[in-house]
Amino acid sequence: MPGTNAQVLWSGRLEEKPAAAAFAFQSSIMVDKRLAVEDIQGSRVHAAMLGKQGIIPQETAAALDAELARIALDLESGSLPIDLGAEDIHSFIEGVLTSRLGDAGRMVHAGRSRNDQVATDLRLYLKHTVPELCGELGETIGALLDQAETYAEALMPGYTHLQRAQPVTLGHHLTAWCAGLERDLGRFTDALRRLDECPLGAGALAGSGLPLDREAVARGLGFSAPTLNSMDSVADRDFALELAGAAAITMTHLSRFCEDLVLWASEEFRFITLSESWSTGSSIMPQKKNPDFAELIRGKAGRTTGNLVCLLTLLKGLPYAYNKDLQEDKEALFDTLDTVRACLGMFRGMVRTAVFNRERMEAALSGGFLEATDLADYLVRKGLPFRTAHETAALVVRDCIAQGQRSITERTLEELKTRSPLFAGDIYQALSPKACVEARKGAGGPAPEEVRRQIAVLRGRIRQERSTLP
Ligand code: ARG
């Protein structure tokens, strides 16, 4: 029955109990029940500190610690089900403690408030789940880089405006994705570093007059320090914004990669064959094999954008310090973190099992005059100003089109010379897609040796970033 006095921590002040529906409306247990372990951890360290500081008797502190440990075990074994009629996880745990220990249980809340408690629980939760997410991200980048290495020489068109632009390699394209994901990893580890401060002891907003030892609590919970300001500790959720932002950016990346995959899997491109286990069929069209997983990841990016906007909007008008609005933070943040994590795993599986069609990708290089820039560069190397070289190359392309030729290399040297006397026999070799790619070995370019260097740099950065995580 919702709202039994055993679980309501504020029943002393109010004579009337809220109606069941009203109580259920303001309850958060469905969302914050996943913070049970962190809540118990926080209470154990808090109780031990209360004992050490002489705020409660040492024996009481010891009894609280033992009982909290038992509650953790009971929850884990399932012998203690979480009461979904409780107001929130903090009320539930304290309620169980008090029902088992009587007055000793009623001592645990000295010097704290649910406001600093929930902020602490949430940060503790993030301190272990975000590194796990970073692990997923690192694995996903690793899987992409493996494919990039395999296809470091596989020629394909690079696109601008979704029009064939210049020859690149699949390795170059996949490494481009990884460069973005590596920055995402950096955003997560960066946010983790900043949230590594313990709010416990901030109380409702103004700390406590009791002689708490916040340093000891912070250390005991594995934080690097207590938070600096008690009002900030309970009022701000910028760490949630940073993580939701990092996650929304990661999902935006995945969404774009998935858009590439959907295009590549189409009959029009046929650059990629997605494994059957990562595709679905149609309920009506028997021939269909759809890239649903890629589409769904693309779709879920909308959710994480929504969650970020939800959190920003939630915070924007809030007066300092705590307001109940903040209770809404967890649903959006948990959903975002769950979503990005699931999508990373799905995306990785899809990429690992995908087969790329080298012939189709290479065939797509012909016919679109992708060698035109290299023709201009050839003339620049012979001393022509680039703008003139560009115009000359454009005229050559027009000549080709006028005569139904699909590549500049179909023109004879004499024909080319009508546009510039600088053309010589070495032009044909310079225009092959392979030569175009190999010439681009400067920093960032698609030449296979340069892409391999980029891959090594990214692998090194990921190793370095992951080594800073717990
Ligand atoms: N369930 C609340 C939350 O998630 C815990 C803090 C409640 N504090 C309060 N003063 N009502 O924010």
Side-chain angles (χ1 to χ4, degrees), residues 10 26-29 32 35 87-90 113-119 204 237 322-330:
W10 35 265
Q26 59 87 59
S27 149
S28 58
I29 191 107
D32 59 32
L35 297 176
E87 185 179 357
D88 56 27
I89 193 66
H90 329 292
S113 152
R114 279 182 297 161
N115 298 355
D116 56 346
Q117 207 179 343
V118 72
R237 293 290 187 270
Y322 179 87
N323 302 269
K324 181 85 164 184
D325 316 43
L326 290 172
Q327 178 167 290
E328 289 284 311
D329 61 352
K330 286 170 286 298

Side-chain angles (χ1 to χ4, degrees), residues 26 62 84 98 105 137 143 147 164 170 178 195 207 232 335 342 465:
Q26 59 87 59
L84 299 179
T98 302
L137 189 47
Q147 292 281 41
R164 293 174 193 171
L170 179 60
C178 292
L195 72 77
D232 168 62
D335 181 66
E465 259 147 24

Side-chain angles (χ1 to χ4, degrees), residues 47 63 111 133 161 232 263 331 343 375:
L133 196 155
H161 312 273
D232 168 62
L263 284 172
E331 197 166 348
C343 288
L375 186 84

Side-chain angles (χ1 to χ4, degrees), residues 13 64 92 153 157 167 170 187 191 216-217 223 251 264 274 278 323 328 392 399 468:
R13 167 68 180 79
L64 285 169
F92 170 70
E153 326 248 348
L170 179 60
R187 275 181 272 273
V217 170
F223 286 99
M251 285 300 298
W264 293 352
L274 293 172
W278 291 97
N323 302 269
E328 289 284 311
T392 307
D399 293 342
T468 66

Side-chain angles (χ1 to χ4, degrees), residues 144 156-159 162 168-174 177 256-274 291 347 351 354-357 360-361:
L144 280 171
M156 73 182 295
Y159 293 79
L162 199 52
V168 294
T169 63
L170 179 60
H172 192 228
H173 195 126
L174 297 180
W177 292 357
R256 293 185 67 178
F257 308 162
C258 285
E259 173 60 15
D260 279 349
L261 293 179
V262 169
L263 284 172
W264 293 352
S266 70
E267 189 56 27
E268 285 70 11
F269 277 79
R270 269 199 289 123
F271 286 2
I272 192 173
T273 307
L274 293 172
F347 182 76
V351 166
V355 176
F356 291 91
N357 188 339
R360 277 289 298 183
M361 292 192 295

Side-chain angles (χ1 to χ4, degrees), residues 27-331:
S27 149
S28 58
I29 191 107
M30 290 308 287
V31 174
D32 59 32
K33 63 183 168 125
R34 73 163 84 184
L35 297 176
V37 171
E38 289 78 8
D39 199 70
I40 291 172
Q41 205 186 343
S43 290
R44 290 183 69 178
V45 173
H46 178 71
M49 179 276 291
L50 292 178
K52 221 184 214 134
Q53 296 296 102
I55 299 168
I56 63 173
Q58 283 280 14
E59 317 80 73
T60 306
L64 285 169
D65 189 66
E67 200 53 51
L68 283 162
R70 248 189 306 274
I71 292 174
L73 288 175
D74 294 348
L75 283 173
E76 204 189 320
S77 73
S79 66
L80 172 65
I82 291 179
D83 175 6
L84 299 179
E87 185 179 357
D88 56 27
I89 193 66
H90 329 292
S91 317
F92 170 70
I93 305 280
E94 195 182 321
V96 174
L97 201 55
T98 302
S99 73
R100 291 184 183 185
L101 293 183
D103 264 356
R106 296 167 65 86
M107 289 190 168
V108 74
H109 209 55
R112 77 176 186 191
S113 152
R114 279 182 297 161
N115 298 355
D116 56 346
Q117 207 179 343
V118 72
T120 304
D121 291 0
L122 187 52
R123 289 189 193 221
L124 276 175
Y125 174 83
L126 296 170
K127 266 165 71 70
H128 73 86
T129 50
V130 176
E132 286 163 17
L133 196 155
C134 289
E136 288 281 329
L137 189 47
E139 291 293 310
T140 304
I141 300 171
L144 280 171
L145 290 177
D146 289 346
Q147 292 281 41
E149 226 154 10
T150 305
Y151 295 100
E153 326 248 348
L155 297 167
M156 73 182 295
Y159 293 79
T160 61
H161 312 273
L162 199 52
Q163 309 288 319
R164 293 174 193 171
Q166 290 180 346
V168 294
T169 63
L170 179 60
H172 192 228
H173 195 126
L174 297 180
T175 308
W177 292 357
C178 292
L181 290 181
E182 188 271 328
R183 287 189 296 276
D184 291 331
L185 184 57
R187 275 181 272 273
F188 281 113
T189 53
D190 196 40
L192 264 181
R193 208 169 338 108
R194 252 190 305 282
L195 72 77
D196 186 22
E197 290 183 344
C198 182
L200 211 56
L205 79 163
S208 171
L210 297 170
L212 307 180
D213 183 350
R214 291 195 61 206
E215 279 288 342
V217 170
R219 244 179 293 115
L221 287 173
F223 286 99
S224 65
T227 47
L228 184 69
N229 177 290
S230 63
M231 287 181 68
D232 168 62
S233 312
V234 295
D236 213 344
R237 293 290 187 270
D238 54 353
F239 59 91
L241 293 179
E242 288 191 1
L243 291 171
I249 297 171
T250 305
M251 285 300 298
T252 302
H253 278 142
L254 291 183
S255 177
R256 293 185 67 178
F257 308 162
C258 285
E259 173 60 15
D260 279 349
L261 293 179
V262 169
L263 284 172
W264 293 352
S266 70
E267 189 56 27
E268 285 70 11
F269 277 79
R270 269 199 289 123
F271 286 2
I272 192 173
T273 307
L274 293 172
S275 144
E276 295 207 348
S277 44
W278 291 97
S279 310
T280 56
S282 159
S283 60
I284 175 168
M285 296 167 284
Q287 85 284 8
K288 292 280 286 216
K289 180 181 157 201
N290 295 328
D292 282 32
F293 290 86
E295 294 166 39
L296 199 49
I297 294 170
R298 192 176 57 189
K300 283 184 188 289
R303 263 172 101 114
T304 51
T305 304
N307 286 334
L308 173 60
V309 174
C310 165
L311 286 169
L312 285 164
T313 313
L314 182 65
L315 288 164
K316 116 166 238 313
L318 284 192
Y320 269 62
Y322 179 87
N323 302 269
K324 181 85 164 184
D325 316 43
L326 290 172
Q327 178 167 290
E328 289 284 311
D329 61 352
K330 286 170 286 298
E331 197 166 348

